[in-house]
Every structure is written in structure tokens, then in C-alpha cells.
């Protein structure tokens, strides 16, 4: 092996003064190193890094070969990892000693190393979810179980893997931000629903940064289907509570429900407002079975908070209603409308879901005062008027971001 003495001397001149300045070991890998060697023996380079960092580095007999390195002001541990990587070696740190060997020797040693079991108590996350993550990082002999009652992970593996998993679990087990979902389910006169200041005309579903309009049409093959969904946003500065109160005073609107739910980021929330009706059916054996079906407004919401404190909401509204018609056998027909979309809204901005139209038909008897009471001729002064009242179901969804610092208190 041909050594280049001038290059080694230059490397020693760079490293020795820095190593003499700090005799303690650099436990945080904070010291930075510069290296410029060509075809130098890897064991010599490892010895230089050990002297610079104050760390004990042991190399096996199989660790040989030349190395060419040009690094400028990088953390010494990063320099060590790169030197080993280009020569297909690997390092393992145990009790303050870094052992350098081949991947094969590491695998063989792991098969012979004694297993240990450690319990990780989870404070904020769910143990069953972390189990799926950690199970992919175990060795062939390792195993992980989750205790739902104690919300804990029970992991069995070699000590090095347990130490790495401990750091990973600690990083993942942190309080997350929450989202307060406020919903209003309102029945409004169809002619007045466009007076609420809602932007229904914005398109561009593919661009979540813009106001959005989406539709989910229904073709049920029956008369007067429930309708289709349309999504929009309230214009900036719109006071929805004041407008709904005014319409309620005029008997043009009715708030059917206004639920609120607090959920974690990226979790699913379900809001249902309506009723469940029993329907009798026959099972395969001919027995009478009563099943309950929701005739309601159902809304599934999954929020995701981005770094800009905006909320990316996955909305899945569903409306079910009874049809005025029935089947040939006299059965009940339930009309449903459903759509799924994703919208990006600001904290406190309101999304409106509309387009579900309900019709109520009736008749009104009209009479001319006094004249309708004339015998025989009174029927000429009375008549019947057919009426049809249309109302629209609007669902207002407003997300409010609760920061993780506040959610954990």
C-alpha cells in the first residue's frame, strides 16, 4: 500500500491543534472537521477522526482499503459515516465505543446478541398506531405488542434497536394540534338561500387555494330526487349568525342543528342530524328482521393543519330523505345524495354545502267572503290553489385551529 506522507502530514496539522483544544469527548457530534486525502488507508483516516473527536473507534481486521475524501467543515460523525459508506462498511456505537465492521458481521452479531424487553408508556399518541410504525424497524427476532388499556408499547429486541426506537417513539409521541369543527345545519327558503352572501360561482376544484364549487348529482329514477351538492365559501366579512337570525325572524329559515366537535389533527369526525326509522325485512331464512336506517344529514370531516395554519378539510356530506313515492310492494324509498371533496380554508373561514332541495306540496282553499255562503251559487265563489314550498338544506362548516400548546393543557 502506497501512503502519501505529505497528505497525511497535512491532515495531522489540521486535526491535532483542534483535538488538543478539547480533551473531552464530543458527545453531541458538534465539532466540525475538514479533510482532504487521496488513496489514504482507511484505518489511518479512522484514527485521525478518533483523535479529533475524542471518541474511541475500533476497526475489525476486515476493515481495509484506500479512501479518497474531500470534506469541508462538516460534523465529524457525518464525515465518519461518509467514509464508511463509500467503502461499504458500517458502524455501531455501544457504551461510548464506535465499532466499525462489515454489514455481514453486524447481522451475524445481531443474531447472537441477547434480547431485551422494554415498555414505552405513550402519553399523547395511540399505542396501536405507533405499533405499526415500530414493527417495521425491528430485527428478525424482534417483536412489538401494544397494550390498549395502558396505552403502552412492549418491544423486545437487541439493545441497539431498543435505543433507536426509544428516540423515535419520543419524537412521535408529542401533543398535536386540534381542530374545533363548528357546523350549522339550516333549512332555508330556496328563494332566500342565495341572499346569504355565499360565493357559489367559483370553480377550480383542482386548485385548493381558490374558492371551490363542486357538484354531486343524483339520478334515482324516481320523481323529485333529493338533489345535488354544491360547495362554496362565505364572502369575507359575512356575519352568518346575523343573517340567519334575520331569516329566522322572517320565518324564512330554521336552524335544524348546530353541533360542534373537537378532534385531533388528521382524525375523522362524524356529525349526524336527523332520525332513524325502522324498516322490516326478511333474512335468508324468511325471518322478520327490523333494520334501522338513518334519514338524516350526515357529515364526515377529516382536517389537516398545514404549516401556514390553514386547514385542508376532506368533506364527505350525505343527505338521506324519504321519497313521496313507494315501491310496487309498498316499501319505502330512501333518497340519498353524497359527495366527497377536499378544500383548503383559512382558520375560522366557513365552507357551505348546499344544493339539497326539499319540496312540500299542498293545497289551499280560497273563498270570497260572504258570497261563498250563497245557497247553490256559493260554490262559484270558492276555489282551491295547489301550493309547492321549496326549501334548501345548507350545511355551514367552520374550522378553528387549536395549537398543540393549548391542546395539551
Amino acid at each position: 500500500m502506497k501512503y502519501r506522507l505529505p497528505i497525511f502530514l497535512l491532515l495531522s496539522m489540521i486535526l491535532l491543534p483542534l483535538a488538543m483544544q478539547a480533551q473531552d469527548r464530543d458527545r453531541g457530534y458538534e465539532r466540525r472537521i475538514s479533510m482532504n486525502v487521496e488513496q489514504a488507508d482507511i484505518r489511518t483516516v479512522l484514527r485521525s477522526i478518533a483523535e479529533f473527536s475524542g471518541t474511541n473507534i475500533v476497526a475489525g481486521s476486515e476493515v481495509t482499503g484506500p479512501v479518497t475524501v474531500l470534506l469541508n467543515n462538516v460534523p465529524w460523525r457525518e464525515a465518519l459515516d461518509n467514509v464508511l459508506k463509500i467503502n461499504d462498511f458500517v458502524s455501531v456505537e455501544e457504551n461510548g465505543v464506535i465499532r466499525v465492521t462489515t454489514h455481514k458481521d453486524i447481522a451475524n452479531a445481531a443474531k447472537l446478541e441477547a434480547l431485551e424487553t422494554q415498555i414505552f408508556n405513550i402519553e399523547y399518541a395511540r399505542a396501536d398506531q405507533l405499533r405499526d410504525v415500530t414493527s417495521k424497524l425491528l430485527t428478525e427476532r424482534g417483536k412489538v405488542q401494544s397494550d390498549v388499556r395502558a396505552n403502552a408499547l412492549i418491544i423486545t429486541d437487541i439493545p441497539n434497536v431498543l435505543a433507536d426506537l426509544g428516540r423515535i417513539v419520543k419524537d412521535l409521541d408529542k401533543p398535536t394540534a386540534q381542530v374545533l369543527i363548528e357546523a350549522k345545519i339550516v333549512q332555508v327558503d330556496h328563494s332566500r338561500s342565495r341572499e346569504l352572501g355565499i360565493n357559489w360561482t367559483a370553480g377550480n376544484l383542482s386548485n385548493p387555494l381558490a374558492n371551490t364549487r363542486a357538484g354531486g348529482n343524483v339520478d334515482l329514477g324516481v320523481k323529485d330526487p333529493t338533489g345535488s351538492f354544491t360547495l362554496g365559501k362565505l364572502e369575507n366579512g359575512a356575519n352568518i349568525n346575523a343573517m340567519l337570525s334575520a331569516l329566522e325572524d322572517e320565518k324564512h329559515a330554521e336552524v335544524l342543528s348546530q353541533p360542534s366537535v373537537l378532534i385531533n389533527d388528521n382524525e375523522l369526525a362524524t356529525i349526524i342530524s336527523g332520525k332513524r326509522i325502522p324498516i322490516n325485512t326478511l333474512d335468508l331464512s324468511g325471518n322478520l328482521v327490523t333494520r334501522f336506517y338513518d334519514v338524516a344529514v350526515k357529515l364526515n370531516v377529516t382536517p389537516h393543519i398545514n404549516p401556514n395554519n390553514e386547514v385542508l378539510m376532506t368533506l364527505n356530506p350525505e343527505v338521506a330523505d324519504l321519497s313521496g313515492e313507494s315501491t310496487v310492494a309498498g316499501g319505502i324509498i330512501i333518497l340519498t345524495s353524497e359527495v366527497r371533496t377536499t378544500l383548503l380554508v383559512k382558520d375560522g373561514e366557513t365552507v357551505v354545502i348546499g344544493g339539497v332541495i326539499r319540496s312540500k306540496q299542498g293545497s289551499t282553499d280560497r273563498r270570497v267572503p260572504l258570497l261563498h255562503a250563497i245557497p247553490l251559487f256559493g260554490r262559484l265563489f270558492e276555489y282551491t290553489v295547489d301550493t309547492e314550498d321549496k326549501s334548501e338544506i345548507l350545511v355551514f362548516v367552520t374550522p378553528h385551529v387549536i395549537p398543540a400548546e393549548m391542546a395539551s393543557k
Side-chain angles (χ1 to χ4, degrees):
M1 179 68 66
K2 182 179 180 181
Y3 296 88
R4 301 197 175 188
L5 183 59
I7 295 177
F8 177 70
L9 291 177
L10 176 61
L11 179 62
S12 300
M13 292 175 63
I14 295 174
L15 301 181
L16 287 178
L18 294 174
M20 294 177 61
Q21 292 178 5
Q23 298 179 354
D24 296 334
R25 181 186 173 208
D26 181 20
R27 298 180 181 275
Y29 312 133
E30 296 178 354
R31 297 178 194 163
R32 308 181 79 83
I33 187 174
S34 297
M35 303 182 68
N36 186 1
V37 297
E38 182 177 353
Q39 294 297 307
D41 182 61
I42 188 172
R43 303 177 73 87
T44 303
V45 175
L46 294 178
R47 186 182 307 113
S48 300
I49 295 177
E51 293 176 353
F52 171 78
S53 62
T55 303
N56 297 317
I57 299 180
V58 178
S61 58
E62 67 280 359
V63 181
T64 59
V67 61
T68 298
V69 179
L70 176 58
L71 297 172
N72 183 28
N73 194 31
V74 299
W76 69 266
R77 185 58 196 254
E78 183 177 332
L80 173 63
D81 293 340
N82 281 278
V83 168
L84 299 179
K85 186 180 296 183
I86 60 177
N87 286 270
D88 199 25
F89 294 122
V90 65
S91 65
V92 177
E93 186 171 356
E94 296 177 349
N95 301 323
V97 178
I98 297 179
R99 180 163 56 92
V100 179
T101 182
T102 63
H103 290 276
K104 182 178 180 180
D105 288 341
I106 289 292
N108 292 335
K111 294 180 180 179
L112 300 176
E113 193 169 357
L115 298 178
E116 296 182 2
T117 300
Q118 188 171 346
I119 299 176
F120 297 90
N121 293 314
I122 310 302
E123 297 183 8
Y124 304 103
R126 292 212 302 261
D128 54 346
Q129 292 182 342
L130 292 182
R131 178 194 60 201
D132 298 335
V133 176
T134 55
S135 62
K136 301 177 182 179
L137 305 176
L138 301 174
T139 62
E140 294 180 357
R141 297 189 297 158
K143 62 181 180 179
V144 57
Q145 296 176 326
S146 62
D147 188 323
V148 178
R149 183 189 62 83
N151 197 37
L153 289 176
I154 305 172
I155 304 179
T156 301
D157 213 319
I158 60 177
N160 285 337
V161 174
L162 290 178
D164 292 339
L165 289 177
R167 290 189 292 269
I168 294 174
V169 170
K170 183 178 179 180
D171 290 338
L172 295 178
D173 185 27
K174 293 182 178 179
T176 60
Q178 295 179 333
V179 181
L180 176 63
I181 300 293
E182 293 184 340
K184 285 183 181 291
I185 302 174
V186 185
Q187 182 170 313
V188 185
D189 282 355
H190 182 55
S191 60
R192 296 298 186 96
S193 61
R194 267 46 181 177
E195 299 177 9
L196 291 173
I198 303 170
N199 184 1
W200 298 105
T201 59
N204 210 353
L205 246 186
S206 60
N207 182 8
L209 299 177
N211 287 335
T212 307
R213 174 185 173 89
N217 295 322
V218 179
D219 185 6
L220 298 172
V222 296
K223 183 180 179 182
D224 297 329
T226 302
S228 62
F229 283 112
T230 305
L231 279 73
K233 294 181 182 178
L234 282 182
E235 301 291 354
N236 293 333
N239 189 337
I240 182 61
N241 290 324
M243 290 184 290
L244 289 178
S245 296
L247 289 176
E248 281 187 298
D249 292 339
E250 299 174 1
K251 306 300 182 183
H252 293 302
E254 179 184 1
V255 178
L256 303 179
S257 178
Q258 45 184 359
S260 298
V261 59
L262 183 64
I263 56 174
N264 288 329
D265 187 23
N266 294 313
E267 295 286 347
L268 172 66
T270 300
I271 298 173
I272 301 178
S273 176
K275 57 186 177 181
R276 307 190 71 187
I277 62 172
I279 296 180
N280 295 326
T281 60
L282 298 178
D283 60 12
L284 297 178
S285 301
N287 300 317
L288 184 65
V289 178
T290 301
R291 302 180 184 274
F292 288 86
Y293 293 87
D294 291 327
V295 179
V297 178
K298 182 178 180 181
L299 178 64
N300 294 322
V301 183
T302 303
H304 169 66
I305 305 172
N306 67 14
N308 297 326
N309 214 37
E310 298 171 324
V311 182
L312 185 67
M313 290 195 302
T314 299
L315 298 174
N316 179 208
E318 180 181 354
V319 175
D321 202 357
L322 294 176
S323 171
E325 299 182 351
S326 60
T327 63
V328 177
I332 297 175
I333 296 178
I334 299 178
L335 309 178
T336 61
S337 299
E338 183 178 3
V339 70
R340 182 182 180 90
T341 187
T342 301
L343 300 173
L344 181 67
V345 298
K346 298 178 181 179
D347 180 18
E349 190 174 25
T350 300
V351 176
V352 188
I353 305 170
V356 179
I357 310 298
R358 289 180 174 177
S359 298
K360 182 178 181 182
Q361 297 180 347
S363 60
T364 303
D365 293 332
R366 300 289 179 85
R367 300 174 181 179
V368 179
L370 299 178
L371 297 180
H372 78 279
I374 299 176
L376 299 179
F377 298 99
R379 302 179 64 88
L380 299 176
F381 298 98
E382 60 183 23
Y383 57 94
T384 300
V385 177
D386 294 330
T387 60
E388 181 179 10
D389 296 328
K390 287 188 176 182
S391 61
E392 183 171 3
I393 300 296
L394 300 179
V395 180
F396 299 85
V397 182
T398 306
H400 299 280
V401 177
I402 310 297
E405 298 78 13
M406 296 179 59
S408 60
K409 295 182 179 180

